[in-house]
Amino acid sequence: MQDLGNRKRSLVQKSLNQPYFIATLLFVSALTIRLYRLTANPLWLDELYGYQLSQLGVGAIFRNTLYVPHPPLYYLLLHVTSGWGAFHDEWAWRWFSAIIGAASVPLLYYLAKSLSTKSAAFLSSLLLMVSPTHIYYSQEARPYAFLICLAIITSLLVIKIRKQPKKRELWIGFTALSLWGILSGYSFIMVVGTQLLYFTIVVRNWRYLFMCGGTIILCCLLLAGPAIRTLGETHAAYANSKAITVTLLAQAVLVGDPLRYGLFWAHTWVPLSLSLIMLIGLAHALWLWREQEALYHGMQVMLPLVAFFVVATPILHITLPEFEWRQFLVLVPSFYVLLAIGFAQIWQQRRMGKVITIAVCVLAIGAIARSLQQYWNITKSPEGLAALFVRDHQEENDAIVSLHYSVDAALSFYLPNKEVFAKPDINGQEIRFARSSSILPEVQDKIVYDATAVTIRRHPRVWIIFHAPTNTDMVNVLTEDCMIVNAQEFSPFRVLIVDQCR
């Protein structure tokens, strides 16, 4: 019996030492977390934008680059993975992000393991697996989880190219994935630019470097015109908004978005403790830069942050509004790699080092659980909840009025075959409405205003969804001499049902 027990323990130990077993365990666990409550929240504004764009087809996806600062490739990928935009179900629009987000966790383990120890890589991957921010973006139809995964894959290629600088297939793959990333999100330029600089400093295979860098730069130049114009327009629109800070960035990435889910005690000590461990990893990477590819990850974290917060903001007066901290999510893989290197250094300090490492991870996970609870309890789409309420209670001859663009988008998804009166326009003493719930810039010039408040009030019942208290005067016009049947709150939106309008 004792021999049998020893053999079982030996088998378990061998399994735990197998990288494929650990990677599979991380993937299954990460996927389980990311599938949990995947459809609990309705689609929200940014996701609904992708849905509406998909309804217009591939041509509109590429033309959209002329109107907003978002390149076309992720929208095209979303169009394909959602069944060519045909499905009206949250699962169909989010499943790809959930899988690609889960795959990032074992990929990070492989990346970190090559530069630290198995234990340190596992702990770092575990923190990414339960990261509220990473889970958040793995549960919505937007490009950030995809960009993080691409950053990990290209970083793995950086290591391979460092070891085999003359292997052409690696350079071709790196070029293709780099372009894929840039064409999915302009922020990916931070990743590619640092990687090319690293190749220039360390690899110095000039032939392939010029071919790879030249191809990437040429494609970026083709996008430069619309990118600069749309980014400039967006920057001007938010010029008076509160600007992003390093503190906010660290809090949002490591604990959870404080703008959406609020600040609590862990937003102070978790970013501080993990950043200190990352700095230990950074110092070690810089000290041994000739022997380790960890230099790249030090460059990847520091160069974009220094360029933005030390040069662009104070000297060039280029700022980003607070909510755009998400543009720096492409730096997350390198941060967690440096964290793994820091864990490995502390772990070596005898027993006390191991105690400190495990204690920090356990306390961080406990704090993260509190943030996850906030994420799962607070909806990201009140406009979606309002639209679902209308869908579940509306009758055939009801008129539906939307007084906010977010609600327009939600109604287009959850009531795709229902006529909606939206986009109110005051013309003299008359309020006109369009029978369009599109929020796409390309469509706005084609909208026809062919309905009035009088037209709407002829229906047996009228639904009015508005942003309280912004649209109070317009609501008063629509509900004058009507009987309010029901009122529901989906803060900041309110839904009214009225009838017997004269």
Side-chain angles (χ1 to χ4, degrees):
M1 288 294 292
Q2 186 175 359
D3 290 341
L4 180 61
N6 290 335
R7 283 198 296 271
K8 287 182 177 180
R9 282 193 294 272
S10 177
L11 182 61
V12 171
Q13 188 66 33
K14 285 182 179 180
S15 298
L16 292 174
N17 287 329
Q18 292 296 322
Y20 293 113
F21 175 82
I22 296 176
T24 301
L25 179 65
L26 288 170
F27 174 74
V28 172
S29 301
L31 185 61
T32 301
I33 295 173
R34 280 149 184 78
L35 292 180
Y36 174 67
R37 294 176 60 85
L38 181 64
T39 61
N41 279 304
L43 298 187
W44 75 289
L45 180 62
D46 285 10
E47 296 177 287
L48 293 163
Y49 187 96
Y51 159 74
Q52 288 197 355
L53 193 59
S54 190
Q55 304 311 295
L56 297 184
V58 175
I61 290 173
F62 282 95
R63 291 193 301 271
N64 183 66
T65 307
L66 302 174
Y67 299 98
V68 296
H70 299 291
L73 200 52
Y74 182 77
Y75 285 123
L76 187 61
L77 186 61
L78 190 63
H79 180 63
V80 174
T81 58
S82 63
W84 311 105
F87 297 109
H88 289 81
D89 180 82
E90 294 90 353
W91 182 277
W93 292 85
R94 292 173 175 165
W95 70 267
F96 179 74
S97 289
I99 290 178
I100 208 73
S104 297
V105 177
L107 286 172
L108 177 74
Y109 170 74
Y110 278 113
L111 180 62
K113 183 171 67 69
S114 66
L115 300 170
S116 61
T117 64
K118 291 181 180 179
S119 299
F122 179 79
L123 290 175
S124 184
S125 302
L126 186 64
L127 289 176
L128 179 66
M129 182 176 74
V130 298
S131 164
T133 296
H134 193 258
I135 293 171
Y136 179 100
Y137 287 107
S138 296
Q139 291 191 322
E140 66 173 35
R142 299 172 77 203
Y144 300 108
F146 179 64
L147 293 175
I148 289 172
C149 188
L150 274 184
I152 297 173
I153 295 172
T154 55
S155 296
L156 287 167
L157 282 175
V158 165
I159 294 175
K160 289 184 176 294
I161 290 174
R162 168 83 162 85
K163 294 177 180 178
Q164 299 176 288
K166 295 183 180 180
K167 195 167 183 179
R168 182 176 59 182
E169 293 82 359
L170 294 177
W171 288 94
I172 293 173
F174 173 80
T175 304
L177 290 175
S178 297
L179 290 175
W180 197 353
I182 293 170
L183 289 171
S184 297
Y186 293 134
S187 62
F188 202 75
I189 291 175
M190 289 189 286
V191 175
V192 178
T194 304
Q195 290 169 339
L196 291 176
L197 179 60
Y198 173 79
F199 288 149
T200 303
I201 296 172
V202 177
V203 178
R204 298 184 183 180
N205 186 324
W206 304 116
R207 177 188 174 190
Y208 286 132
L209 181 58
F210 284 143
M211 292 174 63
C212 169
T215 303
I216 292 171
I217 291 171
L218 178 61
C219 290
C220 287
L221 288 175
L222 295 176
L223 283 172
I228 292 172
R229 180 175 56 79
T230 54
L231 286 169
E233 291 172 353
T234 303
H235 178 266
Y238 293 100
N240 296 323
S241 300
K242 195 172 181 180
I244 186 178
T245 63
V246 176
T247 301
L248 171 66
L249 178 60
Q251 291 171 336
V253 168
L254 296 174
V255 186
D257 186 357
L259 302 177
R260 185 179 290 269
Y261 300 109
L263 281 166
F264 67 105
W265 52 270
H267 280 93
T268 300
W269 76 266
V270 171
L272 181 60
S273 58
L274 294 184
S275 295
L276 287 174
I277 295 172
M278 185 274 290
L279 288 174
I280 293 173
L282 176 63
H284 185 74
L286 295 177
W287 182 257
L288 298 176
W289 70 273
R290 288 185 180 277
E291 289 79 19
Q292 295 189 17
E293 292 82 2
L295 171 66
Y296 157 67
H297 295 286
M299 294 171 59
Q300 184 62 86
V301 170
M302 296 307 298
L303 289 182
L305 295 181
V306 169
F308 183 78
F309 290 106
V310 178
V311 178
T313 298
I315 298 175
L316 303 178
H317 305 292
I318 297 174
T319 61
L320 285 174
E322 284 185 314
F323 62 85
E324 288 294 356
W325 63 265
R326 59 198 176 194
Q327 301 302 328
F328 292 92
L329 282 170
V330 293
L331 309 183
V332 161
S334 289
F335 181 90
Y336 278 89
V337 169
L338 293 176
L339 190 62
I341 296 173
F343 280 146
Q345 297 307 303
I346 297 173
W347 191 272
Q348 293 175 3
Q349 306 307 309
R350 299 183 180 180
R351 183 175 298 177
M352 184 56 68
K354 296 178 181 179
V355 171
I356 292 173
T357 302
I358 294 173
V360 168
C361 290
V362 170
L363 291 173
I365 291 172
I368 283 169
R370 160 74 164 75
S371 189
L372 277 175
Q373 185 179 23
Q374 287 288 96
Y375 165 51
W376 283 325
N377 289 337
I378 299 175
T379 183
K380 66 173 74 173
S381 180
E383 63 268 31
L385 293 178
L388 284 171
F389 179 76
V390 175
R391 185 188 69 179
D392 294 340
H393 297 88
Q394 55 99 22
E395 297 176 2
E396 184 178 354
N397 294 319
D398 289 353
I400 300 174
V401 180
S402 169
L403 302 182
H404 195 274
Y405 59 89
S406 293
V407 177
D408 295 354
L411 290 170
S412 72
F413 184 83
Y414 291 105
L415 288 92
N417 300 316
K418 185 73 176 180
E419 184 177 69
V420 175
F421 299 96
K423 299 172 177 51
D425 176 64
I426 299 176
N427 183 21
Q429 299 297 316
E430 186 178 56
I431 304 176
R432 302 182 305 166
F433 293 85
R435 302 171 198 258
S436 170
S437 54
S438 176
I439 60 172
L440 302 178
E442 180 179 353
V443 178
Q444 301 311 304
D445 293 338
K446 304 172 185 177
I447 289 176
V448 177
Y449 290 88
D450 60 351
T452 65
V454 175
T455 307
I456 295 168
R457 287 161 58 91
R458 289 174 184 158
H459 290 76
R461 292 198 313 173
V462 180
W463 292 79
I464 305 168
I465 309 102
F466 61 99
H467 188 284
T470 307
N471 307 116
T472 302
D473 292 341
M474 204 168 295
V475 171
N476 290 338
V477 172
L478 289 167
T479 60
E480 186 178 7
D481 297 327
C482 299
M483 177 179 291
I484 297 178
V485 177
N486 196 357
Q488 292 288 329
E489 295 284 345
F490 301 95
S491 183
F493 301 109
R494 194 176 186 205
V495 180
L496 291 181
I497 311 173
V498 300
D499 67 4
Q500 299 182 21
C501 297
R502 303 192 192 99

